[in-house]
Amino acid sequence: MRKSDRGIICEAIMNRTAVIRRQISVVLMTVLASALYQSALAQAPTHEALKHFAVKGLSFDYPASIELEDHSTPSGQHLVIQSKDYAQIMVVSRYAQINTAGELAAARHEVVDSFIQTMWQQIHEQDPNVLRTAAQIEVAGAQATGVRLRAVLENQPGNAEIYSLQLGSRLVLLSLIGTDREIAASGPAWLAIRRSLKVEANSEVAAF
């Protein structure tokens, strides 16, 4: 992993550690900014207005009532969707193009594995009994593989779920982090984002 990648991971962890102690809702606000490089079974809201995010080939819909923060860097996009009493949702996509299975495996090792390991360490410090299981979920009509970390922090049970898949020629990582109550409240947002997520096949973005 590049030195800059490790730096962003560390920065993200520090930003989210305070919240994870509160209720595991946001363990790593910026944990992927440097690497940049299920869950929602609740039904989508019937009449809730949606906003549409579309920047540099990456697009998705999300509820207008929830805030979106853009922490992107020249290496890729890092978007945080969250509001009070809701779980934190992150969408991360490097600009680096993936053309072979080997490149996809390398990107997952560099970005996804590092993210999962760092998050597990942070949660394990608070709950040594954290449970890690393999998981998968549908994203953009395809199956995204990942892991689910189950833990109890300050008497609040919750999950940290991390998934990844290739869309177009880019690696995309999605995470959902929160208490059971926050995750339930975020079900419609999580579903809307996963269903609408797209990466344009030929989006012209400089890779760093």
Side-chain angles (χ1 to χ4, degrees), residues 27-75:
V27 179
L28 304 161
M29 167 142 181
T30 342
V31 73
L32 277 184
S34 156
L36 271 175
Y37 307 10
Q38 354 115 122
S39 18
L41 297 179
Q43 295 181 350
T46 312
H47 300 294
E48 185 169 5
L50 295 176
K51 287 185 177 180
H52 184 67
F53 174 88
V55 175
K56 296 184 177 180
L58 177 71
S59 65
F60 57 84
D61 298 328
Y62 66 99
S65 59
I66 298 182
E67 300 175 4
L68 184 150
E69 300 174 5
D70 191 338
H71 299 279
S72 300
T73 75
S75 297

Side-chain angles (χ1 to χ4, degrees), residues 174-195:
L174 301 93
S175 69
L176 175 70
I177 306 168
T179 65
D180 290 347
R181 181 178 299 179
E182 291 167 338
I183 288 175
S186 301
W190 182 229
L191 186 60
I193 291 169
R194 291 189 290 108
R195 282 181 170 176

Side-chain angles (χ1 to χ4, degrees), residues 31-159:
V31 73
L32 277 184
S34 156
L36 271 175
Y37 307 10
Q38 354 115 122
S39 18
L41 297 179
Q43 295 181 350
T46 312
H47 300 294
E48 185 169 5
L50 295 176
K51 287 185 177 180
H52 184 67
F53 174 88
V55 175
K56 296 184 177 180
L58 177 71
S59 65
F60 57 84
D61 298 328
Y62 66 99
S65 59
I66 298 182
E67 300 175 4
L68 184 150
E69 300 174 5
D70 191 338
H71 299 279
S72 300
T73 75
S75 297
Q77 292 166 288
H78 177 196
L79 308 164
V80 180
I81 303 97
Q82 64 183 358
S83 287
K84 183 179 179 182
D85 298 326
Y86 286 79
Q88 181 199 66
I89 298 170
M90 284 199 291
V91 178
V92 177
S93 178
R94 293 198 308 176
Y95 295 138
Q97 302 293 288
I98 296 174
N99 300 303
T100 68
E103 290 177 351
L104 177 59
R108 275 189 163 138
H109 177 71
E110 179 182 347
V111 178
V112 182
D113 292 351
S114 297
F115 181 91
I116 293 172
Q117 182 61 25
T118 303
M119 182 176 288
W120 184 88
Q121 290 174 346
Q122 289 294 313
I123 296 177
H124 186 264
E125 291 179 3
Q126 306 299 319
D127 180 5
N129 296 316
V130 56
L131 178 64
R132 172 174 174 168
T133 58
Q136 62 179 18
I137 199 168
E138 185 172 325
V139 177
Q143 288 298 309
T145 58
V147 301
R148 180 179 298 110
L149 304 178
R150 181 72 175 168
V152 176
L153 301 178
E154 296 190 358
N155 299 317
Q156 294 290 327
N159 291 340

